[in-house]
């Protein structure tokens, strides 16, 4: 396809141009805003996450987002993507980004007759969970997604991105591994923002260092509330100049001062680290159980949340998360009836007090405050 200066091209033509070059798919940013009500009516102001203040679930109050025309265009986009699947026998993926309520999010999947996005980013954990959320809160948010995904469609999990303060800053370093366990072991695609695998934290910035228009527009008194710069600072590769991101002593956004200790190279060398936990979790995603197994969630107490992934003929995996400050002893046999007399620690959070490969009775698993475990009924990978 050759672009001519005076030619008029449809969005579908642009997609075909890139598909012809061999791209594997598209991430369609901010899809809810594609069309707008032609009456230009007012609607509630939005906060940093892009969610409406007030009654967000009241669809009639949203005049610039998630209109019927937007969904129809997504279905047209998907038809183009599927053209190339049919032509070459290789799937091309389409992901859409939307902060919306459950009904609006699920509509982006489309129908069997008019399929839409393969999935829309599941921002519900970002929108509705925080470091003060209880086990029941986590269960509710997880089920609000898995119980509403149309049959035969694929889920996904997002706890952090370039528009949100980093997971390790929002939840604390002690829960960083727990969040990665949820992202990687719940059914669906695991979506991690760069740096979450090593538990990078926000970089505190002065007004003079702020470059994000969203922060600048808020003014010096309020830039901290709105700037997205703290979560966008350079990746911390090692402890050399500018964390190995650049050979310059200064970068567009400054490197977090903690890069001297918190960096990928140090976590690769360390005996235990957030990166090694993430590697182990990624390895579990290659198992049939995590790819195809059922999900069974259990609220053990106010602060203890657990879920299992099970598949007939395969090893079972159970994730335990202690969201609270106090240590707790959990009897998993009360919630999962088919566990053997001993289970094996497959993955443990940093500072959990457990060791990978150790055997334990499922009737008396000790879980420190803010720590998490993955246990298995089978062998270590």
């Amino acid at each position: 396809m050759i672009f001519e200066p005076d030619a008029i091209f449809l969005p579908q033509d642009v997609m075909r141009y890139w598909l012809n070059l061999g791209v594997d798919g598209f991430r369609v940013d901010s899809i809810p805003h594609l069309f707008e009500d032609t009456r230009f009516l007012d609607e509630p102001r939005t906060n940093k996450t892009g969610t409406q203040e007030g009654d967000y679930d009241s669809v009639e109050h949203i005049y610039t987002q998630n209109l019927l025309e937007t969904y129809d265009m997504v279905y047209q986009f998907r038809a183009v993507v599927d053209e190339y699947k049919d032509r070459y026998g290789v799937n091309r993926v389409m992901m859409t980004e939307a902060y919306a309520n459950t009904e609006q999010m699920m509509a982006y999947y489309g129908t069997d007759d008019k399929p839409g996005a393969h999935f829309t980013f599941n921002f519900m954990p970002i929108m509705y969970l925080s470091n003060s959320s209880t086990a029941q809160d986590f269960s509710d948010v997880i089920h609000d997604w898995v119980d509403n995904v149309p049959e035969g469609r694929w889920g996904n999990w997002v706890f952090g991105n370039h528009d949100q303060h980093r997971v390790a800053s929002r939840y604390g370093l002690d829960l960083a591994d727990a969040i990665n366990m949820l992202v990687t072991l719940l059914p669906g695609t695991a979506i991690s923002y760069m740096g979450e695998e090593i538990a990078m934290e926000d970089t505190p910035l002065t007004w003079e260092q702020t470059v994000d228009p969203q922060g600048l527009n808020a003014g010096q008194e309020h830039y901290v509330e709105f700037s997205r710069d703290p979560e966008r600072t350079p990746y911390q590769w090692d402890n050399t100049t500018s964390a190995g991101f650049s050979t310059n002593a200064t970068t567009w956004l400054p490197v977090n001062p903690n890069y001297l200790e918190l960096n990928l190279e140090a976590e690769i060398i360390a005996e235990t680290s957030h990166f090694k936990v993430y590697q182990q979790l990624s390895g579990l995603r290659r198992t049939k159980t995590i790819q195809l197994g059922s999900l069974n969630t259990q609220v053990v107490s106010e602060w203890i949340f657990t879920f299992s992934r099970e598949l007939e003929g395969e090893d079972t995996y159970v994730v335990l998360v202690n969201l609270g400050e106090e240590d707790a002893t959990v009897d998993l046999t009360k919630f999962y009836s088919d566990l053997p007399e001993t289970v094996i620690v497959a993955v443990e959070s940093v500072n959990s007090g457990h060791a990978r490969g150790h055997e334990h009775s499922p009737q008396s698993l000790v879980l420190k405050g803010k720590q998490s475990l993955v246990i298995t009924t089978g062998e270590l990978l």
Side-chain angles (χ1 to χ4, degrees):
M1 182 184 299
I2 299 175
F3 285 97
E4 300 174 3
D6 297 326
I8 297 175
F9 293 98
L10 297 173
Q12 293 92 321
D13 295 324
V14 177
M15 295 179 73
R16 291 187 181 98
Y17 172 82
W18 289 106
L19 287 163
N20 287 336
L21 290 178
V23 301
D24 292 318
F26 302 91
R27 173 195 182 275
V28 188
D29 188 69
S30 300
I31 192 66
H33 305 277
L34 194 57
F35 287 88
E36 184 172 334
D37 192 307
T38 56
R39 295 172 293 172
F40 298 108
L41 300 173
D42 291 336
E43 62 188 37
R45 296 173 64 85
T46 58
N47 59 30
K48 181 183 175 183
T49 65
T51 57
Q52 306 296 121
E53 296 174 358
D55 186 8
Y56 184 66
D57 287 329
S58 181
V59 178
E60 64 268 23
H61 287 170
I62 311 301
Y63 303 112
T64 61
Q65 300 178 44
N66 305 298
L67 300 188
L68 293 177
E69 295 89 339
T70 297
Y71 291 110
D72 181 67
M73 183 55 69
V74 168
Y75 305 155
Q76 293 183 52
F77 289 166
R78 173 63 182 272
V80 174
V81 170
D82 285 348
E83 283 178 20
Y84 285 75
K85 174 189 173 183
D86 296 339
R87 185 182 305 173
Y88 300 107
V90 178
N91 280 318
R92 303 306 204 270
V93 69
M94 187 174 74
M95 302 169 283
T96 48
E97 183 207 39
Y99 286 96
N101 64 34
T102 306
E103 180 182 0
Q104 293 164 338
M105 296 270 274
M106 296 305 157
Y108 283 106
Y109 279 112
T111 64
D112 290 340
D113 294 331
K114 286 188 174 182
H118 287 89
F119 63 78
T120 293
F121 290 122
N122 175 8
F123 291 150
M124 291 181 181
I126 288 176
M127 294 164 67
Y128 301 118
L129 295 176
S130 70
N131 63 351
S132 62
S133 296
T134 65
Q136 187 63 58
D137 295 331
F138 272 77
S139 180
D140 290 345
V141 167
I142 289 168
H143 280 281
D144 196 24
W145 187 269
V146 297
D147 293 348
N148 287 288
V149 170
E151 185 176 356
R153 299 305 196 271
W154 189 247
N156 70 101
W157 305 96
V158 187
F159 274 79
N161 63 23
H162 60 287
D163 291 328
Q164 312 301 326
H165 291 308
R166 286 191 169 277
V167 166
S169 292
R170 285 188 282 128
Y171 287 90
L173 275 174
D174 283 341
L175 280 176
D177 295 329
I179 299 302
N180 282 335
M181 289 176 184
L182 297 175
V183 168
T184 55
L185 300 184
L186 285 167
T189 296
I191 300 173
S192 294
Y193 178 50
M194 68 92 180
E196 288 177 6
E197 73 283 0
I198 61 172
M200 277 180 60
E201 298 174 292
D202 285 351
T203 302
L205 300 176
T206 66
W207 167 248
E208 289 73 24
Q209 293 171 314
T210 299
V211 295
D212 180 18
Q214 188 166 285
L216 294 174
N217 291 338
Q220 189 167 358
E221 290 187 9
H222 298 286
Y223 80 95
V224 173
E225 302 168 48
F226 292 92
S227 176
R228 298 164 295 182
D229 291 332
E231 58 264 24
R232 297 179 174 187
T233 55
Y235 189 85
Q236 294 160 211
W237 293 99
D238 55 39
N239 64 0
T240 63
T241 301
S242 294
F245 179 82
S246 171
T247 56
N248 286 339
T250 59
T251 48
W252 172 249
L253 287 171
V255 175
N256 194 314
N258 70 7
Y259 82 93
L260 292 171
E261 294 80 28
L262 200 164
N263 62 72
L264 177 61
E265 184 179 68
E267 295 202 12
I268 290 174
I269 297 171
E271 184 175 349
T272 60
S273 69
H274 301 293
F275 178 68
K276 290 191 172 178
V277 169
Y278 196 91
Q279 282 186 309
Q280 293 162 10
L281 295 171
S282 298
L284 294 183
R285 290 182 60 79
R286 293 193 289 269
T287 67
K288 290 183 179 180
T289 303
I290 300 304
Q291 292 176 359
L292 304 171
S294 61
L295 173 69
N296 179 354
T297 65
Q298 297 290 336
V299 176
V300 176
S301 66
E302 182 178 11
W303 301 112
I304 306 293
F305 176 70
T306 178
F307 68 89
S308 70
R309 301 297 310 280
E310 302 175 47
L311 184 66
E312 186 174 355
E314 300 292 333
D315 297 338
T316 292
Y317 293 92
V318 180
V319 178
L320 300 92
V321 177
N322 186 349
L323 300 163
E325 301 283 352
E326 303 298 324
D327 297 356
T329 300
V330 180
D331 181 358
L332 285 177
T333 61
K334 292 182 178 179
F335 308 97
Y336 307 106
S337 58
D338 295 330
L339 294 177
E341 291 185 3
T342 59
V343 292
I344 298 173
V345 175
V347 187
E348 79 283 1
S349 62
V350 174
N351 301 322
S352 71
H354 289 271
R356 187 169 185 264
H358 280 194
E359 295 185 355
H360 295 273
S361 166
Q363 293 181 304
S364 56
L365 276 164
V366 178
L367 204 56
K368 288 184 176 181
K370 304 290 185 181
Q371 298 300 318
S372 51
L373 290 176
V374 181
I375 62 166
T376 181
T377 61
E379 300 292 330
L380 293 182
L381 295 181

